[in-house]
Amino acid sequence: MIIKILPAQIPVFWETIKFCETQVNEVSSDIRQLYLNNLLHSLLSDKAQCFVRLDEKRVLIALMITKIEKNKITLDNYLHIQTLYSFRKVPDRDWEVEYEFIRQFAEKAKCKSITFDTCTEKIMQLGQLVGFKEVHRSFELNLEGVYHG
């Protein structure tokens, strides 16, 4: 069962959200608190959404954070999956059901597409399983501590 956590319920899930977020997204320790404060603000104001999947005993088995964004050129809305974390191995069929739920949520929010970023092979495979196509790859060169003599 997949449910959307209401903004008023976020404090109850906050420790779990922080855990999932720091496991999935590589945020350096020097900005982690600012990053998490920004996420909390977004969740409490419903600018970001938290979805959880519960098993038949209502035990949390997966968590997803999404944000509805706007393309700066086309001005079309899109749903960006920011975080996807599973507490246990889940069959691909269950991911397909979850994707359908998220697709319907995106359509109701008048989104033209759904996006996600990852460097994890398993997440790439899950995306491809439900029809996502690779659009681009990002690379970063960290200049901190580099001598420019």
Side-chain angles (χ1 to χ4, degrees):
M1 163 182 19
I2 302 167
I3 59 171
K4 180 180 184 275
I5 302 302
L6 299 174
Q9 298 169 306
I10 293 299
V12 174
F13 286 87
W14 182 236
E15 290 303 315
T16 303
I17 292 169
K18 285 192 318 187
F19 171 80
C20 295
E21 192 69 27
T22 56
Q23 293 298 304
V24 171
N25 296 308
E26 297 175 7
V27 180
S28 64
S29 60
D30 58 327
I31 64 165
R32 186 170 292 136
Q33 193 58 51
L34 181 60
Y35 177 87
L36 290 171
N37 287 347
N38 185 49
L39 175 62
L40 178 59
H41 181 268
S42 294
L43 288 165
L44 290 173
S45 64
D46 209 24
K47 292 180 180 170
Q49 304 78 38
C50 180
F51 297 91
V52 294
R53 183 177 337 126
L54 306 174
D55 67 11
E56 60 282 345
K57 296 178 184 171
R58 298 192 58 82
V59 173
L60 178 66
I61 57 174
L63 182 137
M64 178 185 297
I65 306 277
T66 64
K67 284 188 177 179
I68 298 172
E69 307 271 359
K70 188 170 288 286
N71 181 299
K72 292 176 183 166
I73 296 171
T74 66
L75 303 180
D76 291 331
N77 287 345
Y78 64 95
L79 185 72
H80 182 73
I81 301 171
Q82 176 176 319
T83 303
L84 179 59
Y85 188 87
S86 183
F87 291 94
R88 62 174 114 148
K89 186 172 171 54
V90 177
D92 288 348
R93 179 67 191 128
D94 289 354
W95 287 115
E96 290 172 332
V97 169
E98 182 169 284
Y99 163 73
E100 184 57 29
F101 180 88
I102 294 302
R103 187 189 64 74
Q104 289 175 10
F105 174 79
E107 285 180 351
K108 287 178 186 170
K110 299 185 181 356
C111 294
K112 297 282 183 172
S113 61
I114 302 172
T115 65
F116 70 90
D117 300 313
T118 190
C119 59
T120 306
E121 187 65 34
K122 178 63 178 168
I123 299 296
M124 289 180 208
Q125 291 170 352
L126 286 172
Q128 291 170 339
L129 176 72
V130 296
F132 282 82
K133 304 284 186 255
E134 184 175 323
V135 176
H136 69 276
R137 293 185 185 207
S138 296
F139 297 86
E140 179 180 51
L141 174 62
N142 185 349
L143 298 177
E144 262 185 42
V146 175
Y147 177 73
H148 294 290

